[in-house]
Each structure stands twice: as C-alpha cells, then as structure tokens.
Amino acid sequence: MMDEIFDRSYQDGRAQLNAGLARLFHRTGTAALTAFEVLNRIEFQAPWLELKRKGRRA
C-alpha cells in the first residue's frame, strides 16, 4: 500500500517536472527566436527602401 502511494506521488511529481521543463524550454526558445528575428531584421534592413517609400532618392 505504501509503495503504491509513493509510486503515484512520484509519477505525479515527474509529470509536473516534465511539464514545467517543457514550458520553460518552449518559452526560452520562443524568446530566443523573437530576439533573433528582430536582430536579423535590424541587421539586414535596407535603408534605401525606406527612402524610396518616402519619395526620396538615396
């Protein structure tokens, strides 16, 4: 009886730990991807396209 209770609480704890880790990795990956996309956009942004849209020449 005691072993069954221990096993159930152990399995529940492992499930919560795994769910927490999955959530952590998902949020970290999403934040890193967003940061990479922003930095990539800043790095490769073509300033002459902005001037062209505003009606000026480069």
Side-chain angles (χ1 to χ4, degrees), residues 1-52:
M1 174 89 174
M2 199 65 173
D3 289 338
E4 291 175 11
I5 294 172
F6 172 78
D7 187 51
R8 271 190 231 138
S9 90
Y10 176 79
Q11 295 297 331
D12 184 50
R14 290 291 296 192
Q16 289 178 9
L17 175 67
N18 289 338
L21 287 174
R23 195 168 39 251
L24 171 72
F25 290 136
H26 177 72
R27 288 182 180 176
T28 304
T30 302
L33 180 63
T34 302
F36 177 74
E37 287 174 348
V38 168
L39 289 174
N40 195 1
R41 193 174 305 127
I42 291 169
E43 182 73 24
F44 294 107
Q45 182 178 349
W48 54 87
L49 293 178
E50 293 297 322
L51 293 174
K52 190 176 181 182

